[in-house]
Amino acid sequence: MKKLIFITALLALTAVFLSTGFVGAAETYPQADLNPPLFTSHVAVVIFLIVLVLVLFIWEPLPIGIIAISIPVILIALKSWTKVSAEQALSGFSNNATVTVMAMFVISRGIQNSGAVEILGSKIEAFSGNNKRKQIGSITALTGFMASAINNTPVVAAFIPMVTNLARRTKISPSKLLIPLSYSAMLGGTITLFGTSTNILASEVSARLINHPFGVFEFTKLGIIAFLVGFIYLITIGYYLIPERISAEDKDLLEGYEMDQFLTEVEIEKDSLLLGRSIGQVFKEIELDIDIVQITREDEQFMEPLSVKTIRAGDHLVIKGERKVLSDFAAEKGIKLLTEIRVSQNKLEDSLQGQKVVELIVSDNSFVEGKTINQVHFLERYNATLLAIRHGEKIRHNELKNFTLRSGDVLLLLVTKSTLDRLEKNKNFMIEREVSEETVYQFADIATGLLIIGTVIVLAALNLVSIAVATLGGVVAMVATSLVDPKEIYEAINWEVFFLLAGLIPLGVAIEETGTAEFIAYQLLRVTDIFPSLIILSLFYLFTAVLTSVISNNASVVLMIPVAVGAATQLGANPFAFVLTVTFASSSAFLSPIGYQTNLMIYGPGGYNFKDFIIVGTPLLILLSIIIPFFITLFWGI
């Protein structure tokens, strides 16, 4: 429903925008000595493609990556209108920004593997104890610091299990801590060029349009100001606005997932129709949405795989399913419902056999994204029992095998120790775990990782080599020092981002070559030219940030920087000031969980709903839309 509202609003605004394009062609241009850009067939086709791409990104009938790599094909097919050659359409695949971003994903994985992020995270509890405000301040400061040096997405991936574990141990709702984690990662990513893929892509676009690529620390002073504003906001106003969606009092994970109506203990009676049959045989014959979670026989517990177990009289089974469905099944098959016995987390867990109830979070770039539990054979692959799935504030208990997984979804599982060990090592998932002594004392790995990332930053900052070459050198160093296994390189790279960059970069070329950027800028200035340049800069910030909250940060950079440069040219203003405004705004996706990957990653673990991001994010966005343009004007002029 929310996606439909976004799409409808977008189409309505486009219709109004295009109608003003025809009407306004003969009106007075903001700069009297220039002719207004014409609404040509080239401009019309490119605007249509922009709207089509935005609709598809919001609607997601196909994976984002597939939509993105379709763009070069469409641009070539319509080259008479888009003015994009085959070479330009494919330029995104070999672009310096694409290469650099992919290399940074691998370097970030090496830092993660070194244990540096986990060890720093483990110090938070020692410093903050159970003081909520201290915890928020510590998490915000540490996340921002880490996100300024390496890609912010892996930082959040490493911190989510630590934060949820910290919240549980100190009896604080994880909802209170996870929005600050994501927001501070976004703002920390604005401190240096390496903080986020948005900065690297914006630098490439800026170099092409105004011959001004970003230096590694060129906007650091502005990034620090933005981060400090966010930090102060999150420990003051934001502290009161962030909701506690997941109760801090839920000591039992089953209570937190409202499993009381879906888990029932039963006893197999002497005259049951199921006696002597295997569980696998029984479930082949029925079409009910019920699962056997555990069997207790003579005080010994058994869990998956249960299909080969033969049912005996006196067996106690824990069954997951709706109570009404289970009641009818029990009456028919000779099973006694033990409704007076509460199925708790302690009842399911067995420390001797290593059985444990855990929360498993789907990572960014996980191979299971967009697939159902059945399609990835999750239960068979990991020999686990799936109890429930949380997506945002919604908890799903039934028909779980057909549930389509997304980044940030939380799976409630009953697992064995061997399965837990496998899942902890699997980068497709995030799972709560303590920092082991072995990890704590791997100081050589930490020092090596930090030395590599430090060298990459220095080489790029001093322009000794190009940023793409510096980061590729960092990848080689990470592999050579065994911080990244060669097989991990492919897993570390977010291929959706790769295809997104490869597809969007040539779209940016089309926007520029056809005069679409100048046309859109002109239409925007017709509405805003009564305002001073500083106010126009703030409006660009707000518009880009809202757009980023609906689509993605990289898409908004590619679409908005050419328009911003066009507007600056028509105003006779400093184009670099407008480029920086759009770049910072593209890392301000505070208003929704879908516009920025780190928001999506915390959506399930925090149990948030959509409006939580609007309530918490709006005041911060308004503050930054005033402060960022002001300091851009102060530092760089307008």
Side-chain angles (χ1 to χ4, degrees):
M1 184 63 184
K2 295 183 183 75
K3 290 184 177 181
L4 182 61
I5 293 170
F6 282 135
I7 291 171
T8 304
L10 177 64
L11 293 176
L13 286 170
T14 304
V16 172
F17 182 76
L18 292 181
S19 66
T20 61
F22 287 114
V23 173
E27 292 184 7
T28 304
Y29 192 68
Q31 296 268 327
D33 57 335
L34 296 175
N35 294 318
L38 299 175
F39 185 76
T40 64
S41 59
H42 303 286
V43 172
V45 168
V46 173
I47 288 178
F48 171 77
L49 288 178
I50 292 171
V51 174
L52 177 64
V53 167
L54 292 178
V55 168
L56 292 175
F57 278 1
I58 297 168
W59 180 26
E60 283 190 64
L62 295 169
I64 295 292
I66 300 298
I67 296 170
I69 61 172
S70 302
I71 296 172
V73 178
I74 296 170
L75 291 173
I76 294 172
L78 300 175
K79 63 181 180 181
S80 297
W81 290 277
T82 61
K83 296 184 178 182
V84 173
S85 66
E87 184 179 352
Q88 288 173 317
L90 298 175
S91 63
F93 289 93
S94 59
N95 189 278
N96 281 344
T98 308
V99 174
T100 303
V101 169
M102 296 307 101
M104 281 305 300
F105 278 122
V106 181
I107 292 172
S108 298
R109 172 64 65 86
I111 297 295
Q112 222 175 324
N113 289 347
S114 75
V117 179
E118 287 178 321
I119 289 171
L120 286 173
S122 69
K123 306 301 180 186
I124 290 177
E125 185 176 356
F127 170 74
S128 61
N130 60 0
N131 183 302
K132 288 183 192 177
R133 213 180 289 263
K134 269 191 175 182
Q135 285 184 357
I136 292 172
S138 302
I139 289 167
T140 302
L142 186 55
T143 304
F145 169 74
M146 293 297 297
S148 68
I150 62 175
N151 190 282
N152 53 17
T153 304
V155 173
V156 172
F159 276 12
I160 286 175
M162 179 273 295
V163 169
T164 54
N165 198 20
L166 170 67
R168 186 166 288 114
R169 288 200 308 270
T170 57
K171 296 182 176 59
I172 289 172
S173 171
S175 312
K176 272 290 187 186
L177 306 179
L178 287 170
I179 278 183
L181 173 66
S182 180
Y183 284 12
S184 59
M186 281 188 239
L187 294 171
T190 65
I191 294 176
T192 72
L193 179 61
F194 291 108
T196 173
S197 60
T198 312
N199 298 346
I200 297 167
L201 179 57
S203 177
E204 278 296 307
V205 178
S206 178
R208 188 177 73 242
L209 294 181
I210 61 173
N211 196 30
H212 188 155
F214 299 160
V216 174
F217 301 109
E218 184 163 6
F219 46 80
T220 295
K221 55 189 175 184
L222 181 63
I224 291 173
I225 290 168
F227 177 76
L228 288 175
V229 170
F231 178 86
I232 294 168
Y233 170 81
L234 289 169
I235 62 174
T236 54
I237 300 170
Y239 176 82
Y240 296 103
L241 295 178
I242 299 170
E244 296 189 7
R245 292 294 176 199
I246 296 177
S247 173
E249 301 303 319
D250 287 336
K251 298 176 183 177
D252 189 313
L253 280 173
L254 300 188
E255 288 182 11
Y257 281 80
E258 303 167 3
M259 296 298 300
D260 55 314
Q261 294 300 311
F262 293 91
L263 286 179
T264 307
E265 185 166 349
V266 305
E267 182 180 357
I268 304 298
E269 298 186 303
K270 294 179 180 179
D271 57 351
S272 173
L273 299 178
L274 304 182
L275 291 178
R277 306 182 66 193
S278 72
I279 288 175
Q281 287 175 326
V282 172
F283 278 88
K284 277 183 182 177
E285 297 172 4
I286 63 173
E287 296 182 355
L288 301 176
D289 186 25
I290 58 176
D291 293 302
I292 307 296
V293 174
Q294 189 181 77
I295 295 177
T296 303
R297 179 180 294 161
E298 297 175 355
D299 295 327
E300 186 176 0
Q301 292 180 335
F302 302 92
M303 54 173 288
E304 291 288 354
L306 295 174
S307 59
V308 296
K309 290 289 181 187
T310 301
I311 298 174
R312 300 179 188 175
D315 283 350
H316 280 220
L317 280 61
V318 174
I319 301 182
K320 183 175 78 70
E322 288 188 359
R323 191 65 59 83
K324 176 66 170 64
V325 173
L326 183 55
S327 179
D328 294 342
F329 176 72
E332 179 186 341
K333 301 296 184 182
I335 299 174
K336 181 181 179 183
L337 297 180
L338 305 176
T339 53
E340 72 281 1
I341 299 178
R342 177 176 168 269
V343 180
S344 64
Q345 182 175 342
N346 284 338
K347 186 172 184 61
L348 288 185
E349 293 184 336
D350 186 327
S351 57
L352 293 177
Q353 296 187 50
Q355 293 171 195
K356 189 173 182 181
V357 177
V358 298
E359 291 177 299
L360 188 73
I361 306 165
V362 177
S363 294
D364 171 50
N365 198 32
S366 171
F367 82 97
V368 304
E369 279 190 86
K371 298 183 177 70
T372 65
I373 296 291
N374 264 347
Q375 285 173 333
V376 296
H377 306 289
F378 181 88
L379 303 180
E380 297 84 355
R381 187 191 297 258
Y382 296 106
N383 192 24
T385 301
L386 180 59
L387 302 174
I389 298 175
R390 186 196 296 275
H391 177 72
E393 66 175 336
K394 297 178 182 175
I395 300 173
R396 178 86 166 260
H397 301 96
N398 297 325
E399 299 180 3
L400 299 181
K401 293 181 180 180
N402 296 318
F403 185 88
T404 301
L405 295 168
R406 288 152 287 188
S407 173
D409 284 345
V410 187
L411 282 61
L412 185 67
L413 299 172
L414 177 62
V415 298
T416 61
K417 186 179 186 307
S418 61
T419 297
L420 184 59
D421 290 341
R422 286 173 60 205
L423 290 171
E424 283 184 341
K425 296 172 185 174
N426 194 322
K427 299 297 183 180
N428 290 289
F429 308 105
M430 297 173 278
I431 195 165
E432 270 185 30
R433 60 194 175 110
E434 302 287 344
V435 179
S436 66
E437 291 298 314
E438 180 183 356
T439 303
V440 169
Y441 290 104
Q442 289 175 343
F443 293 116
D445 285 348
I446 296 171
T448 301
L450 295 178
L451 178 62
I452 291 171
I453 186 64
T455 303
V456 169
I457 291 172
V458 169
L459 289 173
L462 297 178
N463 289 320
L464 297 177
V465 294
S466 72
I467 186 171
V469 172
T471 51
L472 285 175
V475 171
V476 173
M478 287 291 182
V479 174
T481 55
S482 300
L483 285 177
V484 175
D485 188 279
K487 294 178 182 177
E488 273 191 288
I489 292 176
Y490 306 100
E491 297 173 6
I493 293 173
N494 187 325
W495 292 103
E496 184 175 279
V497 172
F498 173 81
F499 291 126
L500 192 63
L501 297 181
L504 287 173
I505 287 170
L507 180 59
V509 173
I511 292 170
E512 182 189 329
E513 294 287 334
T514 57
T516 304
E518 288 78 6
F519 176 80
I520 295 175
Y522 172 67
Q523 300 306 318
L524 292 174
L525 290 178
R526 286 180 57 222
V527 179
T528 61
D529 66 351
I530 60 172
F531 299 116
S533 297
L534 181 59
I535 301 297
I536 294 175
L537 215 56
S538 291
L539 293 174
F540 261 92
Y541 186 98
L542 280 171
F543 184 82
T544 305
V546 171
L547 185 65
T548 299
S549 295
V550 178
I551 50 171
S552 77
N553 50 340
N554 291 317
S556 59
V557 156
V558 170
L559 296 175
M560 289 302 298
I561 285 183
V563 175
V565 170
T569 302
Q570 294 170 27
L571 286 169
N574 176 10
F576 187 66
F578 279 75
V579 169
L580 272 185
T581 299
V582 169
T583 303
F584 272 72
S586 295
S587 290
S588 304
F590 307 125
L591 302 183
S592 85
I594 61 176
Y596 207 90
Q597 196 60 49
T598 59
N599 281 352
L600 197 57
M601 290 164 66
I602 63 159
Y603 189 46
Y608 300 113
N609 61 39
F610 202 95
K611 70 178 181 181
D612 292 335
F613 290 87
I614 297 175
I615 292 171
V616 180
T618 299
L620 178 57
L621 180 59
I622 292 171
L623 269 174
L624 290 173
S625 70
I626 297 168
I627 292 169
I628 297 299
F630 172 79
F631 279 101
I632 286 175
T633 303
L634 184 65
F635 294 149
W636 288 277
I638 194 172

